[in-house]
Amino acid sequence: MRNSRITIFIIAIIIAFIGILSIYSSTCQKDTELWQAIYKRQIIWVFLGLVLFFLVSNSDYRRLWDWTYVLYTCALFFLLLVFILGITRLGAQRWLKFVWFNFQPSELAKLILAIFLARYFSRKSVSDISLPVTKFGVFRGLILPFLFVALPAGLIVEQPDLGSGLMLVFLFIFLLYLTNVRLRNIFIFLSAFILLLPLFWHFMRDYQKQRLFVFLNPNIDPLGAGYTIVQSKIAIGSGGIFGKGWLSGTQSQLHFLPESHTDFIFATFAEEWGFLGSMILLLLYFLLIRQGFLIAQRTRDDFGRLLALGISLLLGIQISINIAMNLGFAPIVGLPLPLMSYGGSSVIVTFVALGILVSIDRRRAVF
């Protein structure tokens, strides 16, 4: 337990420090004081995240069992509140303003849904602590939990935040597999989902459709919708093996790469630190996620095990989609890179999730 806590803490601090360096590099050449102070805000977010990390890691994660439905209701409330009081930026209404802090409810909703699914698929019983999902029929084992996932996912997509909404669906599918739902039922669910994709097309906004076209062919609009991904590829490719060095990346320093401190911070980092630096960063993320899976492996409590798996999957899915997006292997969906991208909501929620992992490892006993 002690080793896992120290390991997670050290890896998270290193990644967050790399993120601060990259944020500073991508914004230091911009004229206004607002841009030049962004890295200072990130330091504050990281500090607050660390405080919450230690508080959560020293608490009993099993209290989340009793608060699951309250947390789920709060997540829905905040997601609905976004449509009433939310702040609009870059055409998306995703944030709630609390004094000086802009809070993004979708980030918290991801973690809360992982908690919800972990409880749903691990019924607490005095005489039976095995996963009951294999005893569920199709409705209770597949349809009902999907409805609980679809409600917050639909609200998030409507903001619009297609990436975060799809993440919840991916998390649901992976947890279905890990809870031993019959493969036939999972296959039927995936087949139905794929068949309904043409229907979803009609509900997508024009810019989302354009992003899909650009994903298939970035050169279709290199100075418009395809500009960001083209510049991201140029930044990553120009980094070479060893990179151009800190504060020496041309794409981010000269402002060719949009959102270089948020969604495309990986491209900023890769340009300055090259292939070698990128591999080290991926190794750090791998070791962090591996800790989550190891904690799940040695946890006898089904709720704790599924929660550790859910948190690890959330991190893994988001990291994979963000980096694939930077490389042009996935459509641009606006997902931050955990612990690196600028943003208080993402950083703080990620540290809370890591604190829960440590708490699980400290108290991995049966109910």
Side-chain angles (χ1 to χ4, degrees):
M1 176 276 297
R2 193 175 186 84
N3 289 336
S4 68
R5 181 176 187 174
I6 295 174
T7 301
I8 290 174
F9 171 76
I10 292 176
I11 295 174
I13 282 292
I14 293 174
I15 296 175
F17 179 71
I18 292 173
I20 293 170
L21 291 179
S22 299
I23 291 170
Y24 177 81
S25 177
S26 64
T27 58
C28 65
Q29 296 295 332
K30 295 186 177 180
D31 298 330
T32 63
E33 294 182 3
L34 178 63
W35 281 109
Q36 295 175 359
I38 278 185
Y39 79 96
K40 296 178 183 178
R41 295 183 183 181
Q42 188 74 354
I43 294 175
I44 296 174
W45 305 143
V46 171
F47 176 76
L48 291 176
L50 287 173
V51 171
L52 290 174
F53 169 81
F54 285 110
L55 288 176
V56 173
S57 64
N58 286 314
S59 63
D60 190 346
Y61 76 94
R62 286 173 289 193
R63 294 178 182 175
L64 295 172
W65 176 279
D66 300 319
W67 287 89
T68 298
Y69 295 109
V70 175
L71 291 173
Y72 181 83
T73 303
C74 288
L76 293 180
F77 172 75
F78 284 121
L79 289 174
L80 287 170
L81 198 61
V82 167
F83 296 101
I84 303 173
L85 303 175
I87 298 173
T88 301
R89 291 182 177 177
L90 300 176
Q93 192 174 4
R94 304 176 185 172
W95 296 268
L96 292 174
K97 188 174 183 63
F98 292 99
V99 191
W100 52 273
F101 177 53
N102 292 328
F103 169 64
Q104 189 171 355
S106 60
E107 292 295 329
L108 182 61
K110 298 173 191 174
L111 178 58
I112 290 177
L113 197 68
I115 297 171
F116 178 88
L117 290 174
R119 167 162 180 170
Y120 184 88
F121 287 127
S122 56
R123 303 288 181 178
K124 183 169 62 173
S125 171
V126 175
S127 59
D128 184 6
I129 59 170
S130 63
L131 289 178
V133 70
T134 54
K135 304 174 185 177
F136 288 172
V138 174
F139 178 77
R140 291 188 63 193
L142 187 62
I143 298 176
L144 184 58
F146 176 71
L147 292 177
F148 281 113
V149 172
L151 186 54
L155 292 173
I156 292 173
V157 170
E158 190 61 27
Q159 291 179 359
D161 187 356
L162 183 60
S164 295
L166 288 176
M167 268 195 63
L168 299 184
V169 177
F170 292 150
L171 174 65
F172 172 68
I173 294 172
F174 280 118
L175 283 180
L176 279 181
Y177 176 76
L178 292 173
T179 49
N180 296 323
V181 170
R182 292 180 179 178
L183 290 177
R184 181 184 64 182
N185 293 336
I186 297 178
F187 177 77
I188 293 173
F189 173 80
L190 289 175
S191 300
F193 183 77
I194 293 173
L195 290 175
L196 288 174
L197 285 179
L199 180 62
F200 295 150
W201 175 264
H202 297 287
F203 294 96
M204 294 177 64
R205 289 169 170 80
D206 291 337
Y207 81 91
Q208 292 173 333
K209 295 178 181 179
Q210 190 65 25
R211 283 180 175 180
L212 288 177
F213 286 131
V214 166
F215 165 64
L216 297 174
N217 182 13
N219 296 320
I220 195 173
D221 189 11
L223 298 179
Y227 178 80
T228 303
I229 189 59
V230 169
Q231 296 301 320
S232 177
K233 289 181 178 180
I234 292 173
I236 295 173
S238 64
I241 301 297
F242 301 104
K244 297 179 178 178
W246 188 50
L247 303 178
S248 300
T250 54
Q251 300 305 112
S252 57
Q253 293 288 314
L254 299 178
H255 318 318
F256 289 111
L257 179 62
E259 303 300 323
S260 59
H261 63 298
T262 53
D263 299 341
F264 288 89
I265 198 168
F266 178 79
T268 299
F269 176 81
E271 182 182 24
E272 295 184 345
W273 300 97
F275 177 80
L276 183 60
S278 299
M279 289 299 100
I280 293 175
L281 178 63
L282 291 178
L283 177 61
L284 289 171
Y285 276 125
F286 168 77
L287 293 175
L288 186 64
I289 296 171
R290 182 174 180 269
Q291 282 297 313
F293 281 108
L294 289 176
I295 290 172
Q297 187 177 32
R298 56 179 177 254
T299 300
R300 292 178 295 166
D301 165 28
D302 289 326
F303 174 61
R305 182 168 68 87
L306 281 178
L307 183 52
L309 288 172
I311 291 173
S312 303
L313 287 169
L314 274 180
L315 290 173
I317 293 169
Q318 186 156 330
I319 291 166
S320 300
I321 293 177
N322 178 276
I323 294 177
M325 178 181 74
N326 277 249
L327 292 168
F329 294 153
I332 298 175
V333 289
L335 283 176
L337 188 59
L339 297 175
M340 276 196 66
S341 292
Y342 172 76
S345 301
S346 176
V347 169
I348 290 174
V349 170
T350 301
F351 272 113
V352 169
L354 295 176
I356 294 174
L357 282 180
V358 174
S359 177
I360 293 171
D361 202 30
R362 294 183 64 188
R363 300 170 176 84
R364 53 178 188 267
V366 180
F367 272 81

